[in-house]
Amino acid sequence: MTTVLLPLGFDLDPALPQGVRAVRYDVRAPVPAEHADADALVVWLNTPAQLADCARRLGRLRWVQTLAAGPDAVLGAGFGPDVVVTNGRGLHDGPVAEHTLALLLAGARRVPDLVQAQHEHRWARELGGAQQLDPPGSFRTLDGAHVLIWGFGSIAARLAPVLAALGAHVTGVARTAGERAGFRVVASADITAELPATDVLVGLLPATPETRHAIGAEVLGLLPPTAWVVNVGRGSTLDEDALLGALRADRLAGAALDVFETEPLPPDSPLWDSPRILISPHAAGGRPQGASELIAHNLVAFLSGTPLHNVVER
């Protein structure tokens, strides 16, 4: 009998092949000893300590399926090289693209300023009434805006056509140049040439040693002072001190952040008090779509010895 461990607290109901049993487990507690002989582990919002405990104690484990698009938590837990790791690439494309669009529109339409005015019971005349559609020296609309998406994978491929439908000019950035999903993609090494004409820089980068603080002082310094930064990838990819410095010096118009280097964001973080930062509590990708189907497919592949979907190179 093959045993797969499924996380409690999340609505998962994968079709189980014959000879497979599913056992639910608490992602915040050690797996009970009677289930330590499991063959497969499905991961979703597990604590680092719980994952490290699984890596130490689940001696028969041969496959870990994380439902997160980024496998960094699993890769850092210490699972042996004989354990296949698959990620949740594709499960978050719709939710993250939708949340990113919401943050972009919030920046363009000055939603944080509107909320502040409402809190003050103030009719914000500067935000309403007759206005220029796209006043010089400001980002007020996606129509005609230049949006640069750094980390052009499946989420970006879902987001870019929506932005284009609203009139934005979308360019992607990836390790290699080319065309993806019908959009021009430049190589990461050539991003500096794109930044001076960018109205919004969207970060969708994974957490790797190479991407740590990729959105740092140099990149921020090449953006025009009217630009916004939206980060929905991983918190480690953005240098938060450099961002605060750029905002305080009026070298950047604003930012919308869904991910942070430390999560939850500490109450004493200066990011909370910046009037030009919109904070979202890692809310973009909390609803993986099609997770049960991915698990079911990979269970069949695991049993038959055929390639699994979304295998992470280690």
Side-chain angles (χ1 to χ4, degrees):
M1 178 70 70
T2 297
T3 300
V4 56
L5 298 176
L6 300 179
L8 283 167
F10 181 57
D11 186 19
L12 285 173
D13 187 25
L16 300 178
Q18 187 174 0
V20 175
R21 66 166 182 157
V23 173
R24 300 280 177 169
Y25 75 98
D26 186 344
V27 298
R28 296 161 297 181
V31 172
E34 61 265 30
H35 302 311
D37 61 348
D39 305 278
L41 173 71
V42 176
V43 171
W44 179 238
L45 303 180
N46 300 55
T47 66
Q50 198 276 343
L51 282 176
D53 181 75
C54 287
R56 284 193 303 268
R57 293 178 48 242
L58 305 189
R60 286 187 50 186
L61 202 67
R62 292 296 174 266
W63 164 43
V64 176
Q65 170 72 65
T66 175
L67 301 183
D72 39 297
V74 170
L75 295 180
F79 291 99
D82 57 333
V83 177
V84 176
V85 176
T86 53
N87 66 18
R89 188 178 72 248
L91 301 182
H92 303 276
D93 293 357
V96 175
E98 187 175 279
H99 197 80
T100 307
L101 176 63
L103 296 178
L104 279 162
L105 289 172
R109 307 305 298 176
R110 299 301 190 266
V111 171
D113 296 334
L114 294 171
V115 172
Q116 180 61 34
Q118 180 178 345
H119 178 71
E120 298 169 354
H121 294 198
R122 182 177 67 86
W123 186 262
R125 296 184 183 280
E126 73 278 11
L127 301 174
Q131 300 179 52
Q132 287 182 260
L133 177 62
D134 189 14
S138 67
F139 165 57
R140 296 294 178 89
T141 177
L142 284 173
D143 191 11
H146 291 268
V147 179
L148 191 65
I149 303 178
W150 197 356
F152 205 94
S154 62
I155 294 172
R158 181 75 172 265
L159 173 65
V162 179
L163 298 178
L166 292 173
H169 305 292
V170 180
T171 302
V173 183
R175 281 181 291 184
T176 56
E179 182 178 298
R180 301 187 186 183
F183 292 88
R184 172 176 167 261
V185 174
V186 301
S188 301
D190 299 323
I191 190 174
T192 54
E194 304 294 326
L195 293 169
T198 294
D199 295 301
V200 185
L201 173 62
V202 177
L204 282 170
L205 288 167
T208 68
E210 295 74 26
T211 62
R212 176 167 174 76
H213 287 185
I215 306 173
E218 181 182 0
V219 166
L220 298 174
L222 290 171
L223 289 168
T226 56
W228 271 65
V229 172
V230 176
N231 194 26
V232 287
R234 284 291 184 266
S236 63
T237 65
L238 172 68
D239 185 336
E240 294 170 358
D241 290 338
L243 175 70
L244 282 167
L247 290 169
R248 289 167 177 166
D250 291 326
R251 289 184 282 102
L252 201 64
L257 310 178
D258 185 58
V259 290
F260 303 88
E261 289 207 73
T262 300
E263 295 183 1
L265 187 64
D268 60 351
S269 170
L271 295 173
W272 289 110
D273 297 317
S274 175
R276 289 187 287 171
I277 295 179
L278 175 60
I279 290 176
S280 170
H282 206 143
R287 300 164 297 281
Q289 298 176 326
S292 292
E293 290 77 8
L294 176 62
I295 295 167
H297 172 90
N298 275 348
L299 271 171
V300 172
F302 177 69
L303 293 174
S304 64
T306 56
L308 282 70
H309 276 178
N310 295 357
V311 172
V312 177
E313 297 295 333
R314 302 174 66 191

